[in-house]
Amino acid sequence: MMIHKLFKNTGKFLSIATIALSATVATSSAYAESDWPTGPVKMIMHTKAGGSADVFIRTLAKSLEPQIGQEIIVINSPGGGGASQMGRIRPADPDGLTLGINTLTHFTGMLTNLKGTFALDDFSWIASTQEDAIIFFVKEDSDIKNIDDLIAKARSNNGSISIGGFGPIGSMQNIGMSMLAKSAGVDLKWVGFNATPDIISALLGGHVDVGISNLGALKSFFDADRIKGLGVLGEKRLSSLPDVATITEQGYDVDNSWLQVRGVFGPANIPMETQQKIADAFHKAMQSDYYQQYARAAGVEDSLMGPEAYTTFVKKISKIAKVQLEEAGVLK
Amino acid sequence: MKKINDTPTSEHQFRLPFSVLEVIISVAVLIIGIFYLIETLPLASMASGSQVGPGGFPLGIAIITVTLTSMLLISSVIKLLKQTDSHHVTFHRFIYVLISTGVIVLIGGNLESLGAFFSTWIMATGIMFCCGERGLRLLILPPCIGATIYVIFVIALGVYFP
Amino acid sequence: MFDNLVMGFHAFADPYVFLGLLVGAFLGYLIGAIPGLGPTLGVSLLIPFTYSVDPLVAVVTLVSLYAAAEYGGAISAILINSPGTAAAVATSWDGYPLTQKGKAGVALNISIISSGIGIFISTILLFFTAVPLSEFALNFGPEAYFSLALMGLSLVSIFASGSLIKGGIAMMIGLGLATIGLDAQTGVPRFAFNPEFFEGLPLVPALLGLFALSEVLFMIEQSRQEPHKSSTMSGIFVVPFNVYYKLKYTLLRSSLIGYIIGIIPGAGASIASFLSYGVAKRVSKTPDEFGKGSLEGISASESANNAAVSGALAPLLALGIPGSPTTAIIIGALMIHGIQPGPLLFTMNPEVPFTIFASLWISVPIMVLIGLLGAKYWAKVADVPRSILAAIVTCICLMGAYSSENSMFPVYITIAFGLLGYIFRKADIPLAPIVLALVLGEMLETNFRRAVVISGGDYWVFFQKPLSLILLSVAIISFLIPFVKWIRSKI
């Protein structure tokens, strides 16, 4: 069985190689019509192979490939905070055969370090696929039980509560923390980490007081009762953590549309008809049992915005980000 | 069987007093160090309150680098003036080293546009030529190397070339 | 616990599990031996192949590939001075000189057997201590990571031979290069002139340039002299048993160091091999041999970097926290198969950790056999005419750099570091401190700043926590040694 599998995949690689040679011919003929797809679809990733976005697309590709009857070639193009990925997608033909996966970081990046290099209008924002709310959490034996405790403690100790999260000041999770801090009128200390597991080990070791992360990486620690949730930044409670109240429920005014999203995008000017087809295909593939099993294990929620809704969402979230980054002093 | 170019080695040699090389390198590192220091200054002013900002570490690195390189520069200049050190550094076959560097920069720098097969073919030919290879092997082996590399990287590992 | 282990071994009654182990071992050796393609890339390339097989087959294949790639990494380091990962750099310091002396076979044998012993000993430790030690490793806060990084950096004083000033300059260049990119705490770009530099200099391409590409230029210089013919190997066991017996303390010590450093998330195989090499040199009766072809050096580095594989698996299995980039990808692979690594793995899916323990032990004889059988032929690489070798090394390095990110940026880095390495070697500026600083620079800085943020600007925090204090004292003493020696030599 294994051997069979190996041969099958060698064949696949061979066909990729031949396709790559004739790629230019194939794409130019596909440009005339707006139906999608008429050739292998290149998915350009901003992460290295094995990252969470990469696992997502490779899992989804398993259901998507037989459904659209085309090969999906995943190309990892990490580096530059998404710049090398976007640099490959922008000049591609708008035929829907070159696509990428984006996260919220793409929007904050375009407002900060990549400002002037890339803009929202350089791309078509085709569909949203996943959303992931952020959670404030503490060690199981912590004396902080909810957001009120956290704020009270921060107030009495005058800003000595440390919050560990992903990325530098101005990152998605840091903005989440700033929203809470601003709404409560306290100071919280941001300790940036480069990887989510590092946040969890720092929290379990008692080196930071509170952690912020998306549910995906935390699920097994909730299951093992090693951590407990303080609050969710989002419209409603999470289906897998019904006991953890949202921050709004706990009486703090935060912007609940500040969610981690993972969506599909491509170069600008992809015909609307094609965009709709791509969105439908992705959303249909997401209904497969195989994908659903992965998504539930990974603790992400499905998101099913089509091209119009997603483009509107992208513009809105980008505006929120701009305001937040200005307040954080990252943008002047 | 082996056809190796038979010109005398001495023609290609390039000898330099060791201290001169040290002076050249320390001046180069010093210039880069000062440039690094200048780039650091705007970062250092961003320090937030009592904590170390983005410029703290680079500033320390820049200062130590500049100090150490200056020390190396001074000691090499002294050695050079006193002429106590008769130690030489020899660049053997330096013309060929230069040519091959050119090949690596030119072909390696265009690896993506030339593709795996052609770039390795040309590069292998260049390097083998610089190693003194002249005969039939120079014509036959490089395309074989190119083909092997193509099979391993592009076909087996699925490395993507645009 | 032991009946679970029996269950783990029993999994190998399934021929597919065993086949997975073999496939992983072969591919791992191959990928490890090609410069630029490390275990991380190998595991991620293999993941799609494991989608539709049984989860146990998948995990065994991936773990055996991970371990085999560390065995294989030594091959290119020894034969062509091209360490494909930072963890094999220390191996090349003694392995390549042996190859130049015509003893490539000996070097390969020592490295393969040491790797096997490293895995074997560390898996015993893993079996008994995975959970308690992983919990203990959580005590490493930012201040302890800073002190650990500083201790690692202090090894420069052991590695760098020759001028103190040149060693210092090399270290500073490495630290300076490590600051390139977006600042981890504030997100400000530092010395990044275009977005490609945002995520910092890629390490592997830099290593390929410093060691392999610069070696090509040296090969061109010396191409008129005939290389040493390597002595032909009669059997697969060219190294007599008593050689290993003499290395017993080195092997034990290095496996222990490798395992412990491997457990600490974020430290990993490269720091383990450097540290174990440094300690071996410090306690050796013949420290002058190090760097010239010391068997102790090879076995110290290789047993440690393989032991670090088991070490890195400990926090993964016990807590679901990856100890290295490769184990992070293995977590992703397990999740695709519906297995959630985390604190409950031992209770919910005991077959996974115990099959991994069994597979690590079963893999030892297989890996060693593949290695030793192969070594006979690989050693012949040393007999390939220099001109052809130089051409092949150049092509593989640049292609390896390209394929690490599917882009030209790492290729430029390799070329630039190749020229830098050539000139520095000519000027007797040691490369070891540059590598050490590149590996540790970011860890040093971000953890220093994290610790100071947490303590609210109190710099004494590094001396107040016992773990940090111990590491810091070792670091300071070891930095002072060369100065004391220098002052003594002046008196």
Side-chain angles (χ1 to χ4, degrees):
Chain A
M1 185 199 160
M2 188 87 187
I3 295 284
H4 165 75
K5 193 78 196 126
L6 278 175
F7 274 115
K8 195 183 142 220
N9 279 287
T10 319
K12 197 171 171 185
F13 280 130
L14 279 168
S15 65
I16 293 171
T18 42
I19 285 158
L21 287 172
S22 57
T24 37
V25 188
T27 46
S28 53
S29 66
Y31 182 59
E33 316 139 50
S34 72
D35 58 337
W36 178 82
T38 41
V41 180
K42 283 181 275 187
M43 289 298 305
I44 308 200
M45 304 302 296
H46 62 290
T47 57
K48 288 198 173 187
S52 63
D54 189 63
V55 170
F56 157 69
I57 190 64
R58 285 177 200 268
T59 313
L60 189 63
K62 291 277 288 177
S63 316
L64 197 54
E65 277 183 345
Q67 182 194 319
I68 59 174
Q70 291 291 349
E71 199 95 56
I72 291 173
I73 308 172
V74 179
I75 299 161
N76 295 96
S77 190
S84 36
Q85 176 207 28
M86 291 194 263
R88 279 198 169 170
I89 291 179
R90 185 168 54 183
D93 286 332
D95 51 12
L97 297 180
T98 306
L99 300 171
I101 295 293
N102 75 284
T103 64
L104 207 59
T105 316
H106 284 70
F107 311 131
T108 49
M110 279 187 253
L111 291 167
T112 52
N113 296 314
L114 299 175
K115 194 177 180 179
T117 317
F118 297 103
L120 286 184
D121 294 340
D122 291 340
F123 305 98
S124 309
W125 304 96
I126 301 169
S128 68
T129 53
Q130 291 180 341
E131 56 184 52
D132 213 351
I134 53 178
I135 303 172
F136 289 72
F137 61 99
V138 288
K139 251 173 104 168
E140 176 55 25
D141 56 4
S142 167
D143 54 353
I144 301 174
K145 299 258 180 310
N146 49 40
I147 298 286
D148 281 334
D149 286 355
L150 168 65
I151 299 302
K153 210 167 175 199
R155 197 165 278 141
S156 64
N157 290 318
N158 196 24
S160 71
I161 295 286
S162 53
I163 312 254
F166 183 83
I169 290 165
S171 74
M172 191 266 162
Q173 297 175 1
N174 171 258
I175 290 177
M177 178 199 82
S178 311
M179 284 177 169
L180 176 66
K182 191 172 140 262
S183 128
V186 293
D187 279 335
L188 296 169
K189 281 190 300 195
W190 177 253
V191 187
F193 289 87
N194 307 337
T196 308
D198 295 351
I199 305 171
I200 300 171
S201 31
L203 183 95
L204 293 179
H207 307 292
V208 294
D209 301 309
V210 179
I212 300 186
S213 175
N214 307 104
L215 178 63
L218 302 178
K219 208 162 167 296
S220 64
F221 295 89
F222 275 114
D223 294 344
D225 287 329
R226 295 293 294 263
I227 55 173
K228 60 185 178 191
L230 299 179
V232 177
L233 181 58
E235 293 281 352
K236 50 184 191 297
R237 296 185 181 199
L238 296 171
S239 49
S240 45
L241 285 178
D243 300 337
V244 182
T246 66
I247 291 175
T248 323
E249 278 179 87
Q250 299 185 50
Y252 295 91
D253 181 29
V254 286
D255 196 326
N256 282 322
S257 51
W258 193 246
L259 285 171
Q260 179 60 274
V261 283
R262 203 166 273 158
V264 183
F265 75 113
N269 301 322
I270 297 180
M272 208 52 187
E273 212 181 310
T274 314
Q275 288 195 39
Q276 190 63 49
K277 274 190 178 141
I278 298 171
D280 292 344
F282 269 86
H283 293 154
K284 193 177 162 211
M286 280 164 55
Q287 302 310 318
S288 69
D289 291 343
Y290 186 71
Y291 175 82
Q292 285 298 320
Q293 191 197 338
Y294 145 80
R296 296 298 79 80
V300 288
E301 312 262 322
D302 294 346
S303 174
L304 302 169
M305 285 184 261
E308 271 153 30
Y310 191 47
T311 307
T312 318
F313 171 83
V314 165
K315 289 200 173 125
K316 187 177 138 213
I317 203 97
S318 205
K319 267 199 200 104
I320 301 174
K322 191 158 184 274
V323 173
Q324 291 298 332
L325 289 168
E326 274 163 1
E327 278 177 10
V330 177
L331 276 185
K332 270 142 211 134
Chain B
M1 195 62 196
K2 229 180 212 175
K3 289 188 181 170
I4 281 179
N5 190 7
D6 270 324
T7 34
T9 342
S10 55
E11 266 181 35
H12 301 298
Q13 270 189 18
F14 176 68
R15 272 162 68 86
L16 202 67
F18 193 67
S19 323
V20 173
L21 181 66
E22 282 187 334
V23 170
I24 295 172
I25 289 189
S26 43
V27 168
V29 177
L30 197 61
I31 291 171
I32 295 169
I34 291 170
F35 176 69
Y36 185 88
L37 185 65
I38 293 168
E39 286 280 304
T40 303
L41 294 175
L43 292 173
S45 62
M46 288 172 62
S48 46
S50 61
Q51 284 145 14
V52 185
F57 261 71
L59 190 65
I61 293 169
I63 292 169
I64 300 176
T65 311
V66 170
T67 318
L68 285 176
T69 354
S70 311
M71 281 161 73
L72 181 63
L73 183 62
I74 292 164
S75 75
S76 341
V77 168
I78 290 172
K79 266 195 278 181
L80 202 62
L81 293 178
K82 279 188 182 167
Q83 292 195 320
T84 45
D85 192 15
S86 59
H87 188 38
H88 275 66
V89 58
T90 316
F91 292 84
H92 301 276
R93 313 178 78 243
F94 77 103
I95 295 170
Y96 287 117
V97 173
L98 276 182
I99 296 175
S100 56
T101 308
V103 170
I104 292 171
V105 171
L106 212 66
I107 307 300
N110 290 294
L111 195 71
E112 197 166 50
S113 35
L114 288 170
F117 178 63
F118 288 107
S119 55
T120 41
W121 183 350
I122 303 170
M123 203 145 54
T125 312
I127 301 283
M128 283 175 67
F129 176 83
C130 290
C131 282
E133 199 77 53
R134 292 295 181 273
L136 205 56
R137 286 214 296 219
L138 193 61
L139 290 176
I140 296 170
L141 282 175
C144 299
I145 296 175
T148 316
I149 295 264
Y150 184 82
V151 168
I152 296 178
F153 284 90
V154 180
I155 298 181
L157 295 172
V159 173
Y160 173 79
F161 278 89
Chain C
M1 193 170 176
F2 284 95
D3 23 310
N4 277 325
L5 191 62
V6 172
M7 177 181 75
F9 275 104
H10 192 72
F12 285 86
D14 180 354
Y16 289 118
V17 176
F18 199 74
L19 192 65
L21 181 86
L22 287 181
V23 169
F26 273 109
L27 289 177
Y29 256 110
L30 193 71
I31 282 171
I34 299 175
L37 309 184
T40 317
L41 194 73
V43 167
S44 47
L45 286 173
L46 197 67
I47 283 185
F49 291 88
T50 62
Y51 276 141
S52 53
V53 297
D54 186 72
L56 277 186
V57 180
V59 75
V60 165
T61 313
L62 293 175
V63 169
S64 98
L65 186 144
Y66 179 21
E70 293 290 354
Y71 282 83
I75 296 171
S76 52
I78 289 171
L79 293 177
I80 51 176
N81 201 25
S82 313
T85 64
V89 169
T91 311
S92 71
W93 293 337
D94 287 302
Y96 190 62
L98 278 175
T99 300
Q100 287 177 315
K101 289 177 195 161
K103 289 186 187 165
V106 174
L108 285 171
N109 269 271
I110 296 275
S111 95
I112 289 158
I113 303 267
S114 304
S115 301
I117 293 173
I119 289 268
F120 187 78
I121 296 176
S122 60
T123 308
I124 299 176
L125 295 169
L126 179 67
F127 178 66
F128 287 107
T129 64
V131 178
L133 276 188
S134 301
E135 295 283 350
F136 178 75
L138 293 176
N139 287 323
F140 272 77
E143 71 293 331
Y145 275 113
F146 166 78
S147 304
L148 179 70
L150 199 67
M151 191 180 91
L153 210 54
S154 73
L155 294 170
V156 165
S157 65
I158 301 175
F159 296 160
S161 45
S163 157
L164 215 58
I165 294 180
K166 283 182 183 174
I169 291 177
M171 185 171 87
M172 285 301 146
I173 290 175
L175 286 177
L177 291 170
T179 59
I180 293 175
L182 293 183
D183 175 36
Q185 297 294 307
T186 58
V188 184
R190 297 192 296 184
F191 321 105
F193 306 105
N194 73 49
E196 306 228 274
F197 287 96
F198 279 178
E199 280 163 32
L201 287 181
L203 182 63
V204 170
L207 293 179
L208 286 177
L210 275 182
F211 293 96
L213 208 55
S214 73
E215 186 62 31
V216 167
L217 298 178
F218 276 92
M219 285 187 202
I220 290 167
E221 276 197 359
Q222 295 153 2
S223 58
R224 293 185 49 80
Q225 304 147 17
E226 278 301 302
H228 282 276
K229 277 278 171 203
S230 66
S231 45
T232 43
M233 288 197 270
S234 46
I236 54 170
F237 297 102
V238 285
V239 183
F241 175 75
N242 65 353
V243 173
Y244 295 107
Y245 188 71
K246 276 185 207 145
L247 292 171
K248 60 184 181 294
Y249 294 121
T250 310
L251 288 166
L252 266 174
R253 183 183 348 98
S254 307
S255 304
L256 192 66
I257 292 176
Y259 175 70
I260 290 173
I261 297 292
I263 289 182
I264 303 168
S270 46
I271 299 177
S273 79
F274 286 132
L275 192 65
S276 137
Y277 186 90
V279 173
K281 185 176 178 183
R282 178 64 78 215
V283 302
S284 172
K285 288 187 193 111
T286 52
D288 296 338
E289 283 288 302
F290 278 71
K292 294 173 191 145
S294 162
L295 300 184
E296 273 177 89
I298 298 179
S299 68
S301 157
E302 276 306 301
S303 48
N305 68 27
N306 280 270
V309 170
S310 313
L313 287 169
L316 164 77
L317 298 174
L319 297 171
I321 292 170
S324 71
T326 316
T327 47
I329 297 174
I330 293 180
I331 287 195
L334 287 172
M335 278 175 55
I336 293 174
H337 286 283
I339 297 168
Q340 182 74 55
L344 294 181
L345 188 68
F346 274 90
T347 21
M348 305 279 283
N349 300 89
E351 74 280 6
V352 174
F354 289 97
T355 308
I356 289 178
F357 296 156
S359 82
L360 286 171
W361 275 315
I362 294 174
S363 74
V364 169
I366 294 172
M367 304 271 185
V368 169
L369 212 61
I370 296 178
L372 291 183
L373 287 173
K376 210 177 156 183
Y377 304 98
W378 291 322
K380 292 209 173 11
V381 169
D383 294 338
V384 172
R386 271 214 188 86
S387 57
I388 301 170
L389 197 59
I392 295 174
V393 171
T394 314
C395 296
I396 292 185
C397 279
L398 296 185
M399 278 302 295
Y402 180 83
S403 44
S404 66
E405 288 185 11
N406 278 329
S407 80
M408 284 304 290
F409 179 62
V411 179
Y412 302 138
I413 297 289
T414 303
I415 295 174
F417 275 82
L419 301 179
L420 191 76
Y422 176 72
I423 293 170
F424 277 16
R425 283 166 76 176
K426 280 284 176 196
D428 283 346
I429 295 177
L431 300 182
I434 302 183
V435 177
L436 215 55
L438 274 176
V439 171
L440 296 168
E442 209 242 337
M443 184 173 164
L444 194 75
E445 186 189 356
T446 48
N447 283 299
F448 181 85
R449 288 168 58 192
R450 267 180 209 145
V452 173
V453 168
I454 294 172
S455 74
D458 176 10
Y459 294 96
W460 288 107
V461 62
F462 300 101
F463 298 95
Q464 284 159 352
K465 303 261 174 87
L467 207 54
S468 167
L469 181 66
I470 295 166
L471 294 168
L472 206 57
S473 318
V474 176
I476 291 168
I477 292 168
S478 126
F479 265 125
L480 287 178
I481 287 171
F483 286 99
V484 173
K485 275 190 187 158
W486 183 72
I487 290 165
R488 267 198 198 153
S489 70
K490 293 276 154 183
I491 298 170

